[in-house]
């Protein structure tokens, strides 16, 4: 619910044994990297034991009470040390809307339906949700200006995304087959990839995002494990007429349960709205099933060239928009139209 459980206290009280105890010991340095590196077994054992201890009729109830803290009294930190961060572009509705601004007759580039597109982001500026974001400076150029100017961004955007936490890594030069991708994914978090659209429009050619995106990324401090999401897995299918994934991105489990039925929403509540007692306003509502590529395909493609992923690496999904106007996961369409790019 709205409380936080002290796992180290549980271990000290002798309430954890075996693989569940190993999982907590692995996180003794104050981060979850060691736990993520252990793989799914210890995480599942810890989750099962916690489910037993937190039952309303659990005999250990009195022992747990001193180990629970109210969430509002806790300072939340990044759950793991993030060594690397890669942001993908798997939201096909978002990619299509953005592509229409540049190529109205052919919004998606030919590689989109064959390659999970991504770029290497900046890990050092990822912060837990609630950390203030300072408006970035950078170069912008108006369509009718002879030269760019330097100053604060005027078109700061949000991006509703999902973050994927890497579990056990792979050796450099050793790809991760899609059949093993699930073993290398620890869980998910919400992610907001702040984007300065006016900076992005000027700087992105020819090498893509740079200062427009590396100044701040907000993530939920919580990791929702793959085991917790198991009931929401759904078959992964491609629209009729679309190319099927290449063999290294295709597999039986991915077809049977590669998609995840997860509703995603972005809400806005400004300081003025809070002061006036006004409720938050929902900006968008979409579903992870709208993604064109699955979590397993993203990880398998990332490691397909032998790139060595490490426990605690973070993969962003890219903006996850729905098919209708109420499902847009960012303001990018309006921002770029105003820029006349």
């Amino acid at each position: 619910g709205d409380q936080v459980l002290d796992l180290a206290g549980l271990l000290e009280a002798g309430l954890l044994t075996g693989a569940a105890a190993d999982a907590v010991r692995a996180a003794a340095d104050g981060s979850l990297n060691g736990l993520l590196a252990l793989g799914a077994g210890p995480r599942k054992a810890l989750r099962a034991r916690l489910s037993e201890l937190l039952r309303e009729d659990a005999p250990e109830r009195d022992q747990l009470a001193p180990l629970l803290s109210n969430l509002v009294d806790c300072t939340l930190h990044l759950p793991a040390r993030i060594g690397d961060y890669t942001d993908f572009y798997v939201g096909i509705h978002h990619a299509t809307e953005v592509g229409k601004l540049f190529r109205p007759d052919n919004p998606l580039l030919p590689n989109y339906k064959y390659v999970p597109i991504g770029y290497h982001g900046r890990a050092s500026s990822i912060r837990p949700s609630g950390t203030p974001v300072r408006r970035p400076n950078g170069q912008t150029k108006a369509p009718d200006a002879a030269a760019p100017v330097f100053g604060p961004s005027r078109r700061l955007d949000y991006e509703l995304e999902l973050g994927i936490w890497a579990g056990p890594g792979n050796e450099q030069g050793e790809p991760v087959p899609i059949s093993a991708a699930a073993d290398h994914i620890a869980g998910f978090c919400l992610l907001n990839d702040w984007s300065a659209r006016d900076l992005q429009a000027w700087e992105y050619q020819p090498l893509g995002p740079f200062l427009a995106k590396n100044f701040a990324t907000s993530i939920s401090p919580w990791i929702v494990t793959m085991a917790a999401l198991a009931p929401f897995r759904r078959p992964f299918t491609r629209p009729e007429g679309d190319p099927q994934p290449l063999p290294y991105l295709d597999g039986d489990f991915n077809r049977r349960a590669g998609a995840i039925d997860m509703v995603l929403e972005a809400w806005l509540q400004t300081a003025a709205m809070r002061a006036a007692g006004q409720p938050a306003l929902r900006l968008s509502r979409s579903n992870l099933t709208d993604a064109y590529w699955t979590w397993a395909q993203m990880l398998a493609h990332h490691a397909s060239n032998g790139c060595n992923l490490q426990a605690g690496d973070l993969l962003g999904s890219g903006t996850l928009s729905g098919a209708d106007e109420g499902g847009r996961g960012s303001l990018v369409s309006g921002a770029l139209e105003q820029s006349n790019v």
Side-chain angles (χ1 to χ4, degrees), residues 260-296:
I260 297 178
D261 184 3
M262 182 190 300
V263 174
L264 302 166
E265 295 181 339
W267 292 73
L268 173 69
Q269 188 179 49
T270 66
M273 293 169 69
R274 287 192 293 271
Q278 296 176 350
L281 173 69
R282 190 175 72 191
L283 300 179
S284 71
R285 179 184 174 93
S286 58
N287 196 297
L288 186 55
T289 54
D290 291 322
Y292 197 76
W293 299 94
T294 68
W295 45 269

Side-chain angles (χ1 to χ4, degrees), residues 26-44:
D29 66 350
S31 75
L32 296 183
N33 294 73
L35 171 58
L36 302 183
L38 291 179
R43 288 197 304 273
K44 290 179 179 178

Side-chain angles (χ1 to χ4, degrees), residues 14-67:
L15 295 174
L16 299 175
T17 60
D22 293 340
V24 175
R25 292 190 189 99
D29 66 350
S31 75
L32 296 183
N33 294 73
L35 171 58
L36 302 183
L38 291 179
R43 288 197 304 273
K44 290 179 179 178
L46 177 60
R47 184 171 185 269
R49 178 56 176 158
L50 293 180
S51 294
E52 293 177 353
L53 293 172
L54 293 169
R55 290 199 317 262
E56 287 190 6
D57 59 348
E60 301 89 353
R61 187 181 182 89
D62 291 341
Q63 291 176 268
L64 258 65
L67 302 176

Side-chain angles (χ1 to χ4, degrees), residues 70-107:
N70 291 324
L71 178 59
V72 295
D73 298 327
C74 297
T75 300
L76 303 180
H77 303 273
L78 289 178
R81 297 183 304 276
I82 303 170
D84 278 298
Y85 164 52
T86 300
D87 200 18
F88 282 87
Y89 198 43
V90 305
I92 189 168
H93 301 303
H94 173 75
T96 301
E97 286 299 315
V98 173
K100 286 179 181 177
L101 301 175
F102 303 97
R103 300 170 299 276
D105 297 328
N106 189 25

Side-chain angles (χ1 to χ4, degrees), residues 1-2 23 61 128 133 139 154 182 199 202 270 283 302 311 329 332 341:
D2 56 0
R61 187 181 182 89
V133 175
Q139 286 192 27
R154 298 180 61 186
L199 276 62
W202 172 240
T270 66
L283 300 179
H302 200 310
V332 63
V341 177

Side-chain angles (χ1 to χ4, degrees), residues 170-176 248 299-308:
N170 58 300
E171 294 295 327
Q172 188 171 6
E174 295 292 334
V176 176
Y248 81 100
L299 188 137
H301 179 68
H302 200 310
S304 63
N305 66 344
C307 173
N308 52 318

